[in-house]
Amino acid sequence: MVGELSKPHLSGPHLNEPRSGRPILRVLGVKKAFGAAQALRGADLEVLPGEIHALVGENGAGKSTLMAILGGNLRPDSGDIAFRGEDWTPAGPAEARNRGVSLVHQELALVPHLNVESNVTLGNEKARFGFARSQADRVRAALEELGYADLDPGARVGSLGMAERQIVEIARALFHDAKLILMDEPTSSLPARDVERLFAALGRLKARGIAIVYISHFLDEVARVADRISVLRDGATVAAGLPADTPTPDILQAMVGRPVAEIFPPRQGNLGGTVLEARGWVSRPGAAPADLSLRKGQILGLAGLVGSGRSALLRSLYGLRRPVAGSLAIGGEAELARGWTLERARASGIGFLSEDRKDEGLALGLSIRANSTLGELRRFANAAGLLRLDAEAAAVETMRTDLAMRSQGIEQPVGELSGGNQQKVALGRLLLGDATVWLLDEPTRGVDVGAKAEIYRLIAAEAAQGKAVIWAGSYLPELFGICDSLAVLHRGKLSPIRPISAWSEATVMAWAAQGVHA
Amino acid sequence: MKPGLRTLAPYLGLAAAYLLFSLLAPAAFHGAYNLKTILTQSVIVGIGALGMTFVIISGGIDLSVGSLIACATVLLARALNLGHEPLPGWLPWAALAAATGCGAIGGVLNGFITARFRLAAFIVTLGTMQIYRGGAKWLAAEQTVTAPATWLNGLMEVDAGPRWLWIAPGVWLLLALTAAVAVVLRYTVFGRHVYALGSNEAAARLCGVPVALRRIQIYALGGAFAGIAGAMQFANLTLGDPTAAEGMELDIVAAVVIGGGSLRGGEGRAAGSLIGALLMAVLRNGCNMAGIPNYLQNIVVGAIIIGAVGLDRLGARGSRA
């Protein structure tokens, strides 16, 4: 792999690792393709017993695919995997679990209607005369081991918070005597306090000699919790077994494949008049009233942890959810929050990009054509509602070329495209529309690095043409690279909007975590 | 799976079934008269399936169409009985409109309950299936309703019309409606919305598609087609029968699915549904002509439905990335 970091710290016995010894897991040259998309093109990974090994990389780098392979959910196309010295080819997640590898899912795989004990023992129930036998003691022991002795095995999982659910999943792994636990973004939906408790639990697992592969986007977290770090980029391992104290910029560079500064287009700061102004806007019950104003040509970043209310804010401005209170002025006309609907938002020139391409943003079974014009069909229809298919095709074709979309023409189903090209279809829909205010929720989620750079360029160009953009995101280097001002949300409380130069990663994180200026 | 195969499969199936019975059944099977009979026999399910095509593409299902067909036959007969001999010329037309409107109103109710209360269409229409059946029996006072003879009775007669008509008027109607549905699905904003709703309702909403209104319109269309199918059923029976078309909703759903409609929504074609209805008519007719016992017919039709859904699953697995 042609990374600038040509594997300077290959894992192996030369590392000054106290836990050095035979690796419990060894992955070599694993490849996996989904249709035309090559998700993994040479992944390597070596994990020692009792080690927390962080796996980092951008969205779409192949981390989750690799986890799914290790956890028995997917089978690799080629490559070698050895677990505890034996070939690792589990027939499915159940076998993987029984042989000592447990996956703690990003979207938790729990049965909300059953209680903690049933969830932990699911698939491994002990029965006497066909009746399930209580294994509450063993379940309680597993929970205690994780520092959650207070969690009642009889509690319904549906009534638990995210942190506790995660613990239930980890307890399930312990219950099945896991030797290797795979954790995919375990902290992404946890508040700070619970993150600490999770780390304490991970420490206990480590002390028991259990190895953990830990996927995270949060590099500061990785630096704290991990013993070593491997970096995936575009499906290949570009750095393996870096020590935990590797400087963050080096890791970033390995993730992105070039110095961070170069992928962002230069921004010119010609801002026009105010196009949108929200006063006392309460996007969801319990959120603090927010004041927000947006000017022509501005890209306003919206930072905040997952669950801080970024999406709720954007969605309420677009009318996808009923705002609770406040008023909104667009182009000088004031509107009350009550009665603000999606139809009015669209008529006022607001466009929206969903963070959830798969379930909300796109109709994956339909063609590029049908997806990109779905919001603007009237433009291509005559009075009788008949579509002018030629005009539509021409417009979509132009958009496809402009965005350098890689596809087999405009009739290809969107579901067959790569994440980056799917996102281009979703953005193309905005381009084909006439919205002047773009609300973008995580516009580069699940998009490879090349497409990211193209999206940055596109949005910057549109802003230069006079579009006003709100860009909600969780990846700070990106927000600092593309935005000219920034506001941070903490549990529904919005910071004042400040120029990007007035923020630093530390002050953003301070507000995101505590809701105060550091 | 290549999309082409799924589109072609119903045509191939129809051709194969026709060839098979040409070999198995007596020569009369592939005579012109029997061909016309098969076409006529596919009209009721076919028209119902065209309406169901909208519903299924949009990700819904309508189990109440069988009951709506029965309702329509009864209402039509009742309407014809309103006139005194000699019947005014507009009366059959008004009766036809009443039958269609009755189906449409039933459909509006289906769509309204489904969209407004966000209930599963399967359950809602399972309920209205009973309600409409009850309504039909009430309208008919639990008896068949005889009606004065009009030109409506000739709609489903294989050789009733002038020679140039060649086939039953009902078959022409089926073909015309198929073309109309195909145009609506492919060339109109409404048609595009139907696909979008079935493929991803959230995405449709995001793009400003009036989701609830469209659902109601779609079920109304499905119901209106059931009403027309009911008029054809009436023509077949020449009377209103509140117990008519029991279980036919399943034949109609099957025709759409065989023709490439996906119960997961987002897929389906008018021509496909027509072919699905024809395939079922060929199977039934062919089995009868070949003297294949009724129980075998059931088994064959069932196997074909499962085969079609199997193809559908295969397609879903292939396109999952």
Side-chain angles (χ1 to χ4, degrees), chain B residues 80-88 91:
Chain B
L80 287 178
N81 280 320
L82 290 178
H84 301 286
E85 293 290 347
L87 290 179
L91 189 60

Side-chain angles (χ1 to χ4, degrees), chain A residues 352-358 360-362 364 372 399 403 405 414 417-431 438-448 451-452 454-456 458-459 471-472 478:
Chain A
F352 175 75
L353 180 89
S354 171
E355 64 174 331
D356 189 346
R357 237 179 2 245
K358 197 166 110 255
E360 182 180 52
L362 296 170
L364 294 183
S372 33
M399 181 271 288
L403 295 185
M405 204 180 284
V414 165
L417 304 179
S418 71
N421 285 300
Q422 288 185 2
Q423 195 69 339
K424 286 180 189 175
V425 176
L427 282 163
R429 187 190 284 155
L430 288 175
L431 277 177
W438 284 12
L439 309 176
L440 310 179
D441 200 356
E442 299 265 15
T444 57
R445 172 180 280 187
V447 162
D448 63 55
K452 265 184 191 175
E454 288 171 34
I455 289 174
Y456 298 144
L458 167 75
I459 307 288
W471 182 303
E478 175 177 281

Side-chain angles (χ1 to χ4, degrees), chain A residues 263-325:
Chain A
I263 63 173
F264 295 105
R267 298 289 322 283
Q268 70 229 38
N270 296 335
L271 299 189
T274 301
V275 289
L276 179 149
E277 185 146 28
R279 291 266 158 264
W281 193 259
V282 182
S283 52
R284 61 177 188 192
D291 295 333
L292 190 87
S293 76
L294 188 64
R295 296 169 64 187
K296 223 174 155 181
Q298 185 178 20
I299 301 181
L300 167 64
L302 201 56
L305 301 172
V306 171
S308 61
R310 285 182 327 217
S311 293
L313 179 54
L314 291 194
R315 297 175 76 83
S316 66
L317 288 173
Y318 187 59
L320 265 174
R321 65 181 295 155
R322 272 287 156 82
V324 180

Side-chain angles (χ1 to χ4, degrees), chain A residues 334-347:
Chain A
E335 305 255 11
L336 283 180
R338 294 189 181 283
W340 186 242
T341 60
L342 187 131
E343 287 71 30
R344 296 177 74 171
R346 289 176 63 83

Side-chain angles (χ1 to χ4, degrees), chain A residues 318 320 342 346 352 358-360 362-363 365-366 370 373-375 377 381 385-387 389 392 429, chain B residues 183 186-190 192-193 195-196 199-200 202-209 214 266 319 321:
Chain A
Y318 187 59
L320 265 174
L342 187 131
R346 289 176 63 83
F352 175 75
K358 197 166 110 255
D359 287 333
E360 182 180 52
L362 296 170
L366 298 187
T373 58
L374 186 56
L377 278 176
L386 278 179
L387 289 169
L389 292 185
E392 185 196 25
R429 187 190 284 155
Chain B
V183 167
R186 176 145 171 72
Y187 293 102
T188 67
V189 175
F190 177 79
R192 203 58 83 72
H193 285 177
Y195 281 101
S199 184
N200 188 345
R205 193 163 110 84
L206 194 81
C207 289
V209 175
R214 288 284 178 272
S319 67

Side-chain angles (χ1 to χ4, degrees), chain B residues 85-106:
Chain B
E85 293 290 347
L87 290 179
W90 52 265
L91 189 60
W93 289 104
L96 195 57
T100 311
C102 147
I105 290 170

